[in-house]
Amino acid sequence: MVDMPVSPSMEIEHELDGDLGARRMIVNFGPQHPATHGTLRNVIAVDGERVVKIEPEIGYLHSGFEKLAEYRTYNQIVTITDRMNYLSPLCNNVGFALACEELMGIKVTPRCAAIRVILAELSRIADHILSVGLQAMDLGAFSVMLWSFIERENLYDIFEAVTGARLTTSYTRIGGLLRDVPPDFEVMVRAFMTKCARTIDEMDEVLSDNPIFVKRTKGVGAISAAEAIEYGLTGPLLRACGVAHDVRKLRPYLGYEQYEFEMAVEPNGDVFSRYRVRMKEMRESLKIVDQGLKKMPAGPINVDDPRVVVPLKNAHNFPSGGMEGLIYHFKTYMYGHGICPPKGEVYSSTEAPNGELGFYLVSDGTQRPFRFRVRPPSLYNYQAFPRMSEGALLSDLVATLSSLNIIAGELDR
Amino acid sequence: MRWIDLAKIGFVLAMVLSIVPVLVWLERKVSAFIQGRIGPNRTAVFGMRMAGLFQPLADAVKFIFKEDVVPLRVNRFLYTLAPTLVFVPPAIAFTVIPFGNKWGNEPLIVADVPIGILLLMSVLSISVYGLAFGGWASNNKFSLLGGLRSSAQMISYELTLGLTIITAVMMAGSVNPIEIVEKQAREGWNIVGGGNLWLAPAGIVATLLFYVASLAENNRLPFDLPECDAELVGGYHTEYSSMKFAMFFMGEYVAMVTMSALMVTLWLGGWHFPGLTRLHEGPYHWTEALVSHMVFMVKMGLVLFLAIWIRWTLPRYRYDQLMDLGWKRLVPLALATLVVVGVVGVLTHV
């Protein structure tokens, strides 16, 4: 073998001497490995099949999104947020828009809030159903993954009808939305909900009581609640440890307090609990979507605030139109004007499918943020990965990794 | 050597080699059906698509024309030998399996060896070397892990397989495959006790054990740890390409075919089906031979279909769980069945 430095920090070299003078083997797990679902790299020292030490290395999908955002106007940044968590871009759109609105003290219209909630929950289903499917695939049940893909395709059809794009949705705007949902939105979503509920039940039947699946997941990759909090885990991973933490419940945004849904909490903190949490959350999300569709209020989708939304400039809707409208129009599109939040900073977080997705914005009063920082749930979740899998078998490593649902784009930003 | 032997060798070789593409096609179509897809349907010969039946043919052509990459620092001899060792033994093992009743007075079996089943067992156990060599010689850590896993797994499950085969041999009272099948045709299939209803429960258990062990022997899900795409990339064949990979690939399917043929022979009455085929004195008409061959093929097809169905439904075991299952559950159970068959058989005078 060629002698090459195998690990960035060389720390793993100390783990090479096994029992009885045997040398342990170092395996490069990624960045191109079928189980990493993206570009994650782990240098692992294995003793036979047992994992002795894991050293994750991140940064293979670093795209400089945070720096890039400092050169974009606020509405342009929405397009950047799409690319972070590419399994649930709408959640990122919503999270970013909320942060800006909090900075500017804007409250969106009820219709806008309802649409955002519905789309965010649909994205959560898209993320969770694929995550569960991939988890099953990594354990060998390939068919479940393709069943979940079918549902995700149906969801993407809805997203395409609403936003015009399947993945790079860029749907939210500061103070509103790109446009209203199409007239047959409710019909589409209801049709999807029926099919999706059936698919979720099918996946449940195939996996939950399957002795092999249970054997492979129960007690695997477990972490205690205290440790999970220390590592800063959020989302399904934290709820699987028995901690009732959900930003939607604890710090409701977009009127989540008006929706009835249960927090999915499981006690054991292992891979199986995470699977159960995701399955339950999908069902709860379907409930929320149902309630949202039922009470979707009529009315405008954009706030009536000329600082962020360009008013119509015809005379019929005076006083916001007319001469004043023309002035605002001019101001919005002039260089150096546009959406300029007041000086200050804000941290706002939402419950993304993977956990707490936070946006930290510092505004210096210009049309571009002075600093844009994301708290990606994947980064914090990934930190706990070595703790969860050291001492486990190689196969458990794969099961744990897929239960974390690490999105490399979000992890590296 | 008589010309008829040559003809039989040719027939069996053609049969096994043509079942493989059909099996690959079936696997892809069945998996597509299970997963809500269409599956291959684009390949056409002279405009005939035949529901994608030509896809394996196109794949074979692709394999032949692909570059044969040999990685640096491999043990070239073992690296080249490994695919052959996987492919050839199961094909050889098919020689002692009766693929039909007689044609005239000629038994439809390539080699009428008195100890056929023992020969088959010894030949089949060679293929584990192919996997182990392939994993070791390719100078790849994932391959090495795959090779290690496969040797451990195949050796463990061979035990169960051997014990259940002994059970079948005890029920039939012979190690000659032809006699085993004829006994089943006369008295009843081994799965229902071979004519002795007291043995029926043991027969069913032993058949299931045999089937599970044969899945493990063939590295099929839920026991496909040696290749295990999610963990070991491709397992022992990670570094193989072109025809060498195709040999591994085909070898696995040939092994599946042989194993299901063995299962049909040992437990499911071989070519016998009540009402369709029967045993009688004197020469057999060619239609009888054909029908018996068809019965054999259909049974084998059903067993193969079951394997495909299982593969696309179940998750896979973990390495230690696989060993637990093999040594702590299946081997004792197989031993118990063996004892039960022996004791009950003697008590009820088989």
Side-chain angles (χ1 to χ4, degrees):
Chain A
M1 301 246 174
V2 188
D3 281 329
M4 282 167 71
V6 286
S7 116
S9 71
M10 307 296 284
E11 246 176 52
I12 209 158
E13 299 281 335
H14 304 307
E15 300 291 334
L16 271 181
D17 294 319
D19 301 332
L20 304 173
R23 293 280 284 175
R24 285 178 180 143
M25 191 162 77
I26 286 185
V27 176
N28 234 332
F29 198 79
Q32 286 146 353
H33 186 281
T36 53
H37 305 304
T39 46
L40 309 173
R41 184 184 178 211
N42 290 288
V43 183
I44 54 180
V46 288
D47 190 358
E49 289 266 334
R50 200 160 284 281
V51 175
V52 183
K53 177 131 178 103
I54 307 177
E55 217 170 78
E57 198 193 350
I58 63 169
Y60 281 89
L61 208 59
H62 179 62
S63 326
F65 286 147
E66 288 177 356
K67 190 69 188 166
L68 205 59
E70 292 171 18
Y71 298 89
R72 297 283 180 279
T73 63
Y74 285 89
N75 270 336
Q76 284 172 340
I77 295 173
V78 174
T79 61
I80 292 178
T81 61
D82 287 340
R83 276 93 175 155
M84 285 181 198
N85 185 340
Y86 36 72
L87 289 190
S88 51
L90 278 161
C91 286
N92 293 22
N93 295 166
V94 170
F96 173 70
L98 281 174
C100 292
E101 283 151 12
E102 201 177 321
L103 188 60
M104 300 182 74
I106 296 170
K107 196 170 182 303
V108 292
T109 62
R111 183 173 175 81
C112 172
I115 293 174
R116 282 183 181 181
V117 166
I118 292 172
L119 288 174
E121 292 306 318
L122 288 178
S123 302
R124 192 183 314 281
I125 296 172
D127 182 282
H128 281 0
I129 205 164
L130 194 68
S131 164
V132 170
L134 289 176
Q135 201 176 331
M137 186 190 80
D138 282 343
L139 297 180
F142 196 80
S143 300
V144 178
M145 191 270 276
L146 284 162
W147 298 344
S148 71
F149 250 93
I150 294 171
E151 289 315 318
R152 199 180 75 142
E153 281 304 298
N154 292 336
L155 265 174
Y156 275 16
D157 286 344
I158 294 176
F159 294 161
E160 191 181 3
V162 174
T163 71
R166 296 171 75 80
L167 192 139
T168 51
T169 49
S170 305
Y171 188 50
T172 58
R173 294 289 180 271
I174 316 302
L177 298 167
L178 166 67
R179 56 167 170 260
D180 205 342
V181 291
D184 59 343
F185 180 66
E186 182 166 353
V187 181
M188 277 193 299
V189 175
R190 292 246 178 244
F192 163 76
M193 282 164 69
T194 331
K195 275 185 287 180
C196 184
R198 207 165 54 221
T199 306
I200 293 172
D201 287 345
E202 263 177 21
M203 290 166 77
D204 206 0
E205 279 166 25
V206 169
L207 295 177
S208 295
D209 297 327
N210 186 323
I212 303 178
F213 183 78
V214 174
K215 256 189 171 176
R216 286 294 308 273
T217 51
K218 258 199 182 145
V220 170
I223 191 165
S224 69
E227 270 179 308
I229 294 170
E230 273 175 26
Y231 274 109
L233 296 191
T234 46
L237 303 189
L238 185 61
R239 289 194 285 278
C241 298
V243 183
H245 181 278
D246 189 326
V247 183
R248 290 176 295 174
K249 285 277 191 199
L250 301 181
R251 203 170 56 246
Y253 52 92
L254 289 175
Y256 262 112
E257 67 275 8
Q258 303 156 17
Y259 295 87
E260 271 179 32
F261 65 101
E262 280 174 43
M263 211 187 292
V265 180
E266 289 281 330
N268 296 326
D270 55 5
V271 176
F272 189 68
S273 296
R274 288 168 207 151
Y275 155 77
R276 289 284 295 266
V277 165
R278 290 211 170 90
M279 291 302 269
K280 186 162 182 215
E281 274 189 12
M282 279 193 273
R283 296 196 167 113
E284 295 300 319
S285 291
L286 282 177
K287 270 200 237 164
I288 297 175
V289 172
D290 178 56
Q291 294 168 38
L293 285 176
K294 268 188 195 142
K295 67 170 177 198
M296 185 138 79
I301 53 158
N302 287 332
V303 288
D304 189 14
D305 187 337
R307 285 183 304 160
V308 290
V309 176
V310 189
L312 297 175
K313 48 180 178 172
N314 59 19
H316 294 296
N317 55 351
F318 193 79
S320 53
M323 189 59 212
E324 239 174 298
L326 189 65
I327 292 170
Y328 281 127
H329 212 271
F330 181 69
K331 281 221 21 155
T332 306
Y333 290 107
M334 271 285 286
Y335 180 78
H337 294 265
I339 299 173
C340 300
K343 270 187 189 170
E345 57 187 80
V346 69
Y347 174 80
S348 148
S349 65
T350 54
E351 183 73 22
N354 272 338
E356 181 180 338
L357 174 71
F359 286 96
Y360 174 64
L361 279 169
V362 181
S363 164
D364 54 359
T366 63
Q367 61 180 0
R368 297 190 176 118
F370 177 75
R371 176 82 171 97
F372 172 73
R373 153 92 186 142
V374 187
R375 182 216 185 268
S378 286
L379 177 66
Y380 296 84
N381 294 349
Y382 196 36
Q383 283 176 2
F385 176 55
R387 161 69 193 79
M388 288 173 188
S389 342
E390 272 172 17
L393 292 172
L394 203 59
S395 310
D396 292 339
L397 187 91
V398 173
T400 311
L401 187 58
S402 61
S403 76
L404 296 183
N405 191 24
I406 304 298
I407 314 292
E410 182 184 67
L411 173 77
D412 295 335
R413 304 185 302 296
Chain B
M1 180 177 272
R2 298 169 304 156
W3 67 267
I4 187 107
D5 287 333
L6 271 181
K8 280 197 281 194
I9 291 172
F11 179 76
V12 165
L13 204 59
M15 181 176 80
V16 172
L17 289 187
S18 58
I19 291 176
V20 171
V22 175
L23 191 57
V24 173
W25 171 81
L26 191 71
E27 175 129 68
R28 296 181 67 172
K29 275 295 187 189
V30 171
S31 68
F33 173 70
I34 292 174
Q35 295 161 352
R37 299 184 285 118
I38 298 170
N41 70 345
R42 294 287 118 178
T43 23
V45 173
F46 301 122
M48 285 186 302
R49 282 190 177 162
M50 302 270 289
L53 199 54
F54 296 117
Q55 185 67 43
L57 206 68
D59 287 344
V61 172
K62 180 196 75 179
F63 275 130
I64 290 168
F65 284 105
K66 272 209 160 184
E67 189 188 350
D68 188 12
V69 181
V70 180
L72 278 178
R73 294 179 183 80
V74 299
N75 184 328
R76 265 176 178 274
F77 177 67
L78 292 182
Y79 182 79
T80 319
L81 183 67
T84 326
L85 278 183
V86 171
F87 178 72
V88 174
I92 292 179
F94 211 98
T95 51
V96 292
I97 289 172
F99 52 92
N101 199 358
K102 291 173 180 159
W103 183 318
N105 282 321
E106 192 61 41
L108 293 183
I109 183 170
V110 173
D112 183 5
V113 189
I115 50 157
I117 296 297
L118 296 182
L119 182 74
L120 185 136
M121 277 307 289
S122 45
V123 170
L124 272 186
S125 50
I126 294 175
S127 29
V128 67
Y129 286 106
L131 307 193
F133 287 168
W136 186 77
S138 0
N139 187 21
N140 179 316
K141 290 165 182 173
F142 289 114
S143 301
L144 182 65
L145 284 172
L148 284 175
R149 281 181 180 188
S150 64
S151 355
Q153 172 183 335
M154 290 181 83
I155 289 167
S156 314
Y157 278 76
E158 221 149 67
L159 210 61
T160 314
L161 200 71
L163 286 172
T164 47
I165 288 178
I166 294 174
T167 316
V169 167
M170 275 167 64
M171 282 180 171
S174 167
V175 281
N176 185 341
I178 294 184
E179 280 173 26
I180 292 178
V181 175
E182 284 183 353
K183 161 94 170 19
Q184 293 184 72
R186 271 197 306 274
E187 295 173 15
W189 298 0
N190 278 343
I191 186 172
V192 287
N196 183 349
L197 279 182
W198 290 102
L199 292 179
I204 292 169
V205 171
T207 310
L208 290 178
L209 283 176
F210 178 88
Y211 192 63
V212 171
S214 75
L215 285 180
E217 277 290 292
N218 293 337
N219 302 325
R220 293 284 293 186
L221 259 160
F223 309 110
D224 71 333
L225 300 181
E227 34 198 313
C228 195
D229 40 32
E231 291 152 32
L232 302 182
V233 190
Y236 56 88
H237 60 56
T238 306
E239 293 287 356
Y240 282 88
S241 56
S242 181
M243 264 325 267
K244 289 202 185 91
F245 170 74
M247 290 278 268
F248 270 127
F249 188 71
M250 285 187 338
E252 252 168 57
Y253 281 95
V254 174
M256 267 176 78
V257 172
T258 309
M259 275 298 177
S260 35
L262 184 61
M263 169 138 175
V264 170
T265 308
L266 288 180
W267 301 103
L268 304 177
W271 45 260
H272 175 254
F273 195 85
L276 281 178
T277 55
R278 62 198 182 85
L279 209 57
H280 59 77
E281 289 295 317
Y284 289 81
H285 196 245
W286 66 270
T287 49
E288 285 178 288
L290 197 65
V291 169
S292 67
H293 178 59
M294 283 301 143
V295 168
F296 176 79
M297 294 296 275
V298 168
K299 281 182 188 173
M300 209 168 79
L302 289 178
V303 175
L304 287 171
F305 176 78
L306 193 61
I308 294 173
W309 190 6
I310 289 173
R311 169 165 181 189
W312 296 106
T313 314
L314 291 181
R316 73 169 70 81
Y317 273 105
R318 204 171 63 199
Y319 180 64
D320 57 327
Q321 293 166 349
L322 179 92
M323 287 294 147
D324 278 2
L325 183 78
W327 289 100
K328 292 185 191 162
R329 304 274 169 79
L330 296 189
V331 170
L333 200 57
L335 266 174
T337 338
L338 187 68
V339 172
V340 166
V341 167
V343 173
V344 176
V346 168
L347 289 181
T348 54
H349 303 293
V350 186

mmCIF file of all heavy atoms in Angstrom, chain B residues 81-94:
data_model
loop_
_atom_site.group_PDB
_atom_site.id
_atom_site.type_symbol
_atom_site.label_atom_id
_atom_site.label_comp_id
_atom_site.label_asym_id
_atom_site.label_seq_id
_atom_site.Cartn_x
_atom_site.Cartn_y
_atom_site.Cartn_z
ATOM 1 N N LEU B 81 -8.322 -15.999 -10.803
ATOM 2 C CA LEU B 81 -8.900 -17.317 -10.529
ATOM 3 C C LEU B 81 -10.261 -17.193 -9.833
ATOM 4 O O LEU B 81 -11.170 -17.992 -10.080
ATOM 5 C CB LEU B 81 -7.926 -18.102 -9.638
ATOM 6 C CG LEU B 81 -8.301 -19.531 -9.303
ATOM 7 C CD1 LEU B 81 -8.254 -20.371 -10.563
ATOM 8 C CD2 LEU B 81 -7.360 -20.098 -8.257
ATOM 9 N N ALA B 82 -10.396 -16.172 -8.992
ATOM 10 C CA ALA B 82 -11.572 -16.079 -8.132
ATOM 11 C C ALA B 82 -12.904 -16.143 -8.882
ATOM 12 O O ALA B 82 -13.774 -16.944 -8.513
ATOM 13 C CB ALA B 82 -11.491 -14.812 -7.281
ATOM 14 N N PRO B 83 -13.104 -15.353 -9.948
ATOM 15 C CA PRO B 83 -14.410 -15.417 -10.622
ATOM 16 C C PRO B 83 -14.702 -16.813 -11.164
ATOM 17 O O PRO B 83 -15.848 -17.279 -11.118
ATOM 18 C CB PRO B 83 -14.281 -14.408 -11.759
ATOM 19 C CG PRO B 83 -13.140 -13.560 -11.426
ATOM 20 C CD PRO B 83 -12.229 -14.362 -10.572
ATOM 21 N N THR B 84 -13.660 -17.464 -11.664
ATOM 22 C CA THR B 84 -13.853 -18.812 -12.193
ATOM 23 C C THR B 84 -14.316 -19.758 -11.097
ATOM 24 O O THR B 84 -15.189 -20.594 -11.307
ATOM 25 C CB THR B 84 -12.526 -19.330 -12.772
ATOM 26 O OG1 THR B 84 -11.822 -18.228 -13.325
ATOM 27 C CG2 THR B 84 -12.753 -20.377 -13.806
ATOM 28 N N LEU B 85 -13.695 -19.611 -9.921
ATOM 29 C CA LEU B 85 -14.041 -20.499 -8.821
ATOM 30 C C LEU B 85 -15.478 -20.282 -8.358
ATOM 31 O O LEU B 85 -16.087 -21.171 -7.783
ATOM 32 C CB LEU B 85 -13.093 -20.264 -7.645
ATOM 33 C CG LEU B 85 -11.758 -20.965 -7.734
ATOM 34 C CD1 LEU B 85 -10.955 -20.721 -6.490
ATOM 35 C CD2 LEU B 85 -11.965 -22.457 -7.944
ATOM 36 N N VAL B 86 -15.986 -19.087 -8.582
ATOM 37 C CA VAL B 86 -17.378 -18.855 -8.194
ATOM 38 C C VAL B 86 -18.322 -19.415 -9.249
ATOM 39 O O VAL B 86 -19.382 -19.941 -8.946
ATOM 40 C CB VAL B 86 -17.631 -17.346 -7.986
ATOM 41 C CG1 VAL B 86 -19.103 -17.060 -7.808
ATOM 42 C CG2 VAL B 86 -16.855 -16.874 -6.785
ATOM 43 N N PHE B 87 -17.887 -19.309 -10.505
ATOM 44 C CA PHE B 87 -18.809 -19.645 -11.590
ATOM 45 C C PHE B 87 -18.866 -21.144 -11.873
ATOM 46 O O PHE B 87 -19.950 -21.702 -12.084
ATOM 47 C CB PHE B 87 -18.374 -18.886 -12.850
ATOM 48 C CG PHE B 87 -19.222 -19.178 -14.047
ATOM 49 C CD1 PHE B 87 -20.517 -18.681 -14.114
ATOM 50 C CD2 PHE B 87 -18.738 -19.945 -15.088
ATOM 51 C CE1 PHE B 87 -21.308 -18.944 -15.200
ATOM 52 C CE2 PHE B 87 -19.542 -20.220 -16.176
ATOM 53 C CZ PHE B 87 -20.821 -19.715 -16.232
ATOM 54 N N VAL B 88 -17.715 -21.806 -11.858
ATOM 55 C CA VAL B 88 -17.670 -23.179 -12.353
ATOM 56 C C VAL B 88 -18.317 -24.211 -11.409
ATOM 57 O O VAL B 88 -19.118 -25.033 -11.867
ATOM 58 C CB VAL B 88 -16.217 -23.559 -12.717
ATOM 59 C CG1 VAL B 88 -16.128 -25.024 -13.089
ATOM 60 C CG2 VAL B 88 -15.739 -22.703 -13.871
ATOM 61 N N PRO B 89 -18.001 -24.196 -10.094
ATOM 62 C CA PRO B 89 -18.530 -25.282 -9.257
ATOM 63 C C PRO B 89 -20.052 -25.449 -9.299
ATOM 64 O O PRO B 89 -20.510 -26.584 -9.465
ATOM 65 C CB PRO B 89 -18.038 -24.918 -7.859
ATOM 66 C CG PRO B 89 -16.860 -24.087 -8.082
ATOM 67 C CD PRO B 89 -17.121 -23.326 -9.322
ATOM 68 N N PRO B 90 -20.844 -24.380 -9.188
ATOM 69 C CA PRO B 90 -22.290 -24.618 -9.244
ATOM 70 C C PRO B 90 -22.724 -25.212 -10.575
ATOM 71 O O PRO B 90 -23.668 -26.019 -10.625
ATOM 72 C CB PRO B 90 -22.908 -23.239 -9.025
ATOM 73 C CG PRO B 90 -21.837 -22.291 -8.846
ATOM 74 C CD PRO B 90 -20.541 -22.964 -8.922
ATOM 75 N N ALA B 91 -22.021 -24.820 -11.652
ATOM 76 C CA ALA B 91 -22.379 -25.384 -12.953
ATOM 77 C C ALA B 91 -22.050 -26.875 -12.981
ATOM 78 O O ALA B 91 -22.819 -27.688 -13.509
ATOM 79 C CB ALA B 91 -21.623 -24.644 -14.057
ATOM 80 N N ILE B 92 -20.896 -27.241 -12.376
ATOM 81 C CA ILE B 92 -20.531 -28.662 -12.326
ATOM 82 C C ILE B 92 -21.538 -29.431 -11.471
ATOM 83 O O ILE B 92 -21.961 -30.538 -11.806
ATOM 84 C CB ILE B 92 -19.113 -28.832 -11.741
ATOM 85 C CG1 ILE B 92 -18.089 -28.269 -12.725
ATOM 86 C CG2 ILE B 92 -18.818 -30.301 -11.465
ATOM 87 C CD1 ILE B 92 -16.684 -28.383 -12.226
ATOM 88 N N ALA B 93 -21.933 -28.793 -10.351
ATOM 89 C CA ALA B 93 -22.811 -29.491 -9.416
ATOM 90 C C ALA B 93 -24.127 -29.887 -10.068
ATOM 91 O O ALA B 93 -24.775 -30.846 -9.648
ATOM 92 C CB ALA B 93 -23.082 -28.602 -8.204
ATOM 93 N N PHE B 94 -24.494 -29.163 -11.113
ATOM 94 C CA PHE B 94 -25.764 -29.471 -11.760
ATOM 95 C C PHE B 94 -25.735 -30.827 -12.454
ATOM 96 O O PHE B 94 -26.778 -31.401 -12.777
ATOM 97 C CB PHE B 94 -26.116 -28.364 -12.772
ATOM 98 C CG PHE B 94 -27.579 -28.147 -12.923
ATOM 99 C CD1 PHE B 94 -28.216 -27.127 -12.233
ATOM 100 C CD2 PHE B 94 -28.342 -28.960 -13.742
ATOM 101 C CE1 PHE B 94 -29.571 -26.941 -12.353
ATOM 102 C CE2 PHE B 94 -29.705 -28.769 -13.871
ATOM 103 C CZ PHE B 94 -30.320 -27.762 -13.169
#
